[in-house]
Amino acid sequence: MKAVVNYESGNKKVELRDVEIPELGPKDVLINVQAAGVCGSDLHMYHDIQGFEVKRPVTLGHEFSGVIAEVGSHVKGFKPGDRVVSETPSYVCETCIYCRTGDYNLCPNRRGFGVLENGAMAEYVKSREAILHKIPDNVSFEKAALTEPSCVAYNAVAHHSQIRPGDYVVIFGPGPIGLMCTQIAKLFSPGKLLVVGTRKDQNRLELAKQFGADEVLISEEADVVQKILSRGDGFGPDLILDAVGISITLKQSIEAVRPGGQITKIGWGPKPINFSLDPLIQKAARLQGSFSHNYPMWEKVLLMMEKGDIDPLLIAKQYPISDWEKAFNEMDSLEQAKSILLPNQ
């Protein structure tokens, strides 16, 4: 079968290859992939600038949906022909305290699709029954493939953040996660919702407006911290969501956040921050990390898609798998917010 493979370390060491269809264990399912999203982490691996361990060669892709082609001998809840979407942990130990209490996304032995296990930018992918969800009838495969980034945003906004109607909320970064955070934050009726990006983000900042941002700021054209503080009562945002992987946005977040407010950090970045956290302490503000998601969040997000409360497909452009390089490069250049590969085209 055809697969987009990151075959060794180094810049742009990715190509379309013929690989074997995976074999199933008793609790596994084989999914005929209908749509696979390109994540920012896939682009980081494409350029070999990721801040996490990678087991190469590896088929990329952890955002996907499809149709079950085959099930293992112990699978009871799914059958061939079911339309499904899969969570991202290809393997968890199932015995640590995090697995036993439902926070298996924090399992220290977790291995994710497209990083430490073969992923879904391929015609077929093997997943586990325990992490499958049925796709609502009115949700397309392309939209369902973006359940994963939607869940990342849901976890950050609805689970890890304290957000109330009327709050002043700022989002750094109008990438796919930042845009989904915008959609979800809007559901909480914030008093003001502001999104910060760069000149290169112009197209994506326009999407942020469509998703409910009251205002957007271009970082090169203003003193971002002063602009943020000039809104509202002058004390700063109640909540800042940092969906950027560079240290400057965290520094700006600490400078801008309201005393007693919260910063939720979502974006990854391997470089040291090189600045003091004393202002965070002085403000008695909370810095909260947010990573991945778990089963109940997927069920909630799929329900929200079914009802039309959120629509991640509005940020995406679709490509046949043969155009994977174009899909990567156009997303990498910020020409569009999100790329989706269609392995059967």
Side-chain angles (χ1 to χ4, degrees):
M1 67 175 181
K2 298 292 185 183
V4 179
V5 178
N6 184 192
Y7 55 89
E8 63 183 38
S9 60
N11 188 36
K12 296 188 176 180
K13 300 296 185 181
V14 175
E15 65 184 14
L16 194 63
R17 287 187 170 185
D18 282 312
V19 302
E20 295 294 322
I21 295 175
E23 296 183 3
L24 300 186
K27 295 183 179 180
D28 295 332
V29 298
L30 184 68
I31 298 172
N32 180 208
V33 180
Q34 300 298 306
V38 178
C39 178
S41 62
D42 295 313
L43 298 179
H44 292 161
M45 292 171 62
Y46 181 48
H47 294 297
D48 201 12
I49 56 171
Q50 71 285 336
F52 46 83
E53 179 188 359
V54 179
K55 183 180 179 181
R56 297 179 171 102
V58 65
T59 298
L60 295 174
H62 59 268
E63 307 172 359
F64 60 98
S65 65
V67 177
I68 294 180
E70 185 181 342
V71 299
S73 59
H74 292 177
V75 173
K76 304 299 182 185
F78 296 87
K79 64 184 185 304
D82 284 347
R83 302 169 72 248
V84 295
V85 64
S86 171
E87 297 177 40
T88 56
S90 176
Y91 170 85
V92 295
C93 72
E94 300 183 0
T95 58
C96 72
I97 188 171
Y98 299 105
C99 287
R100 290 179 184 274
T101 55
D103 291 324
Y104 51 84
N105 55 308
L106 303 179
C107 172
N109 299 301
R110 178 187 183 275
R111 298 199 297 265
F113 289 110
V115 179
L116 297 176
E117 298 283 348
N118 284 324
M121 291 185 191
E123 294 175 65
Y124 293 91
V125 66
K126 177 178 71 173
S127 187
R128 300 183 290 123
E129 179 183 21
I131 56 172
L132 293 186
H133 302 262
K134 292 182 180 178
I135 302 171
D137 291 341
N138 68 338
V139 175
S140 68
F141 286 116
E142 294 80 11
K143 187 181 293 187
L146 302 184
T147 308
E148 195 276 338
S150 301
C151 287
V152 170
Y154 181 92
N155 191 20
V157 178
H159 182 68
H160 282 305
S161 298
Q162 182 178 348
I163 180 170
R164 298 154 299 192
D167 276 355
Y168 177 16
V169 179
V170 170
I171 298 172
F172 278 97
I177 301 301
L179 289 170
M180 290 312 303
C181 284
T182 304
Q183 282 200 35
I184 292 171
K186 192 65 177 179
L187 298 175
F188 287 84
S189 299
K192 185 170 186 62
L193 180 57
L194 189 153
V195 178
V196 183
T198 68
R199 288 195 184 100
K200 292 182 178 179
D201 290 318
Q202 195 68 58
N203 292 339
R204 306 199 295 188
L205 288 170
E206 290 302 316
L207 281 172
K209 291 179 184 178
Q210 293 179 37
F211 289 168
D214 299 303
E215 184 179 359
V216 299
L217 289 181
I218 297 176
S219 59
E220 297 96 332
E221 297 178 2
D223 183 327
V224 170
V225 173
Q226 288 306 312
K227 284 284 187 181
I228 291 172
L229 289 172
S230 70
R231 276 52 173 175
D233 62 6
F235 286 105
D238 300 279
L239 171 65
I240 298 178
L241 296 151
D242 182 355
V244 182
I246 57 175
S247 60
I248 184 62
T249 54
L250 180 58
K251 185 174 187 294
Q252 292 170 329
S253 298
I254 292 171
E255 292 171 351
V257 72
R258 186 181 194 85
Q262 178 179 345
I263 301 164
T264 301
K265 185 79 172 77
I266 316 161
W268 287 68
K271 294 182 180 178
I273 58 174
N274 291 324
F275 59 82
S276 173
L277 295 179
D278 285 354
L280 183 78
I281 300 166
Q282 186 177 30
K283 290 182 176 183
R286 174 181 170 192
L287 176 58
Q288 171 72 53
S290 184
F291 173 70
S292 195
H293 28 67
N294 60 17
Y295 194 95
M297 295 176 193
W298 281 71
E299 290 293 299
K300 288 180 172 63
V301 166
L302 285 166
L303 179 60
M304 292 162 71
M305 286 185 189
E306 182 181 26
K307 292 177 61 182
D309 292 336
I310 58 172
D311 187 356
L313 200 56
L314 294 174
I315 68 176
K317 182 178 176 181
Q318 300 170 33
Y319 306 78
I321 197 169
S322 58
D323 285 345
W324 72 267
E325 193 168 8
K326 181 180 180 182
F328 276 43
N329 289 335
E330 289 190 356
M331 186 173 163
D332 207 14
S333 68
L334 308 185
E335 184 173 329
Q336 91 272 341
K338 190 72 175 178
S339 296
I340 296 177
L341 297 181
L342 306 174
N344 288 296
Q345 291 188 15

